[in-house]
Amino acid sequence: MIRAARQSKGWSLEYFSNAVDFPEATTRRLEKGQIDRPQWDLVNAIALLGIIRSPLTDLPFTANELMLIACEVIDSQTGQYRDSSMASSQPPSFVAFLRSWMERHGISQRQLEQMVEERELPIQALHEIQAGRVPIEDYEIFAIGGCFAETDETYEFEQLRAIAGPGPQIKQSPTPEEQGNGNHDHIGNGSTK
């Protein structure tokens, strides 16, 4: 996929490597499929070039979509989810990804709860995530990622963050200048809790 996109632009491997700011040896291994889980920085740099396009929309794949392709959630040839249970999820949700993993490995809800308890993730947090809350805390993603690793499915933090999404944006407390102008449109004291 990457080689075809690069060659369609008439770019040499050296030019492409310079464009993404990674060593030529790395990009060569990536093109040959020798890197299963590429670093987020590399995926993001490739996405910024806009040369790999979705067959569904003919728009460039985003960095998140490319990471989902690397995680084998999206099929690069069709632009569709490999697991049909995720097909209704646009964009893919962490919940659908988690459910799909549970189904693939025969993990029951109780087993999942035991796994996250061992990683000190509160069961209430798991239930909130399963109800659709985006896991915004790093420890939540690490805990669930640890559960995946128990079944020999390992993902880098950045890959799971890409699947989970950015989470809600929290406004910071107003500056003293904003307070003086009567602008008090903020949430709490700027903390995310």
Side-chain angles (χ1 to χ4, degrees):
M1 171 175 76
I2 294 171
R3 178 181 292 142
R6 172 181 64 78
Q7 290 175 339
S8 75
K9 293 288 188 185
W11 295 351
S12 67
L13 186 60
E14 179 184 13
Y15 181 87
F16 176 71
S17 298
N18 288 333
V20 295
D21 198 25
F22 271 81
E24 195 171 322
T26 301
T27 54
R28 180 178 296 110
R29 288 181 48 236
L30 185 66
E31 282 191 353
K32 290 181 176 184
Q34 296 172 343
I35 298 177
D36 292 333
R37 308 259 190 242
Q39 295 175 352
W40 174 255
D41 293 347
L42 178 57
V43 172
N44 192 48
I46 292 169
L48 290 173
L49 292 176
I51 63 170
I52 301 176
R53 303 181 87 72
S54 167
L56 292 176
T57 63
D58 198 37
L59 295 173
F61 278 118
T62 66
N64 284 356
E65 290 168 330
L66 289 175
M67 189 60 82
L68 291 171
I69 289 168
C71 293
E72 297 182 5
V73 174
I74 293 178
D75 183 318
S76 65
Q77 301 302 310
T78 65
Q80 298 179 343
Y81 298 103
R82 292 180 182 273
D83 183 339
S84 61
S85 69
M86 294 181 71
S88 63
S89 221
Q90 290 291 338
S93 73
F94 197 77
V95 175
F97 188 74
L98 183 58
R99 282 186 194 140
S100 174
W101 167 79
M102 290 173 71
E103 288 173 15
R104 280 194 312 277
H105 296 284
I107 305 291
S108 70
Q109 179 66 27
R110 182 64 196 134
Q111 288 171 311
L112 177 62
E113 289 172 357
Q114 289 171 339
M115 292 168 128
V116 299
E117 279 182 321
E118 291 170 5
R119 288 163 181 76
E120 300 181 5
L121 178 67
I123 297 299
Q124 179 63 33
L126 172 65
H127 292 170
E128 290 171 2
I129 291 166
Q130 289 180 303
R133 177 178 67 78
V134 173
I136 57 173
E137 300 292 339
D138 289 354
Y139 75 88
E140 295 173 328
I141 292 176
F142 281 116
I144 294 173
C147 296
F148 293 151
E150 277 193 34
T151 60
D152 295 328
E153 281 192 32
T154 56
Y155 301 96
E156 289 184 19
F157 175 81
E158 292 86 1
Q159 293 169 318
L160 294 174
R161 170 55 67 206
I163 294 166
Q169 299 298 314
I170 305 296
K171 285 186 158 186
Q172 298 298 316
S173 296
T175 64
E177 294 80 23
E178 290 172 330
Q179 287 178 346
N181 293 334
N183 181 353
H184 300 287
D185 183 26
H186 68 285
I187 299 172
N189 62 2
S191 75
T192 58
K193 297 191 180 202

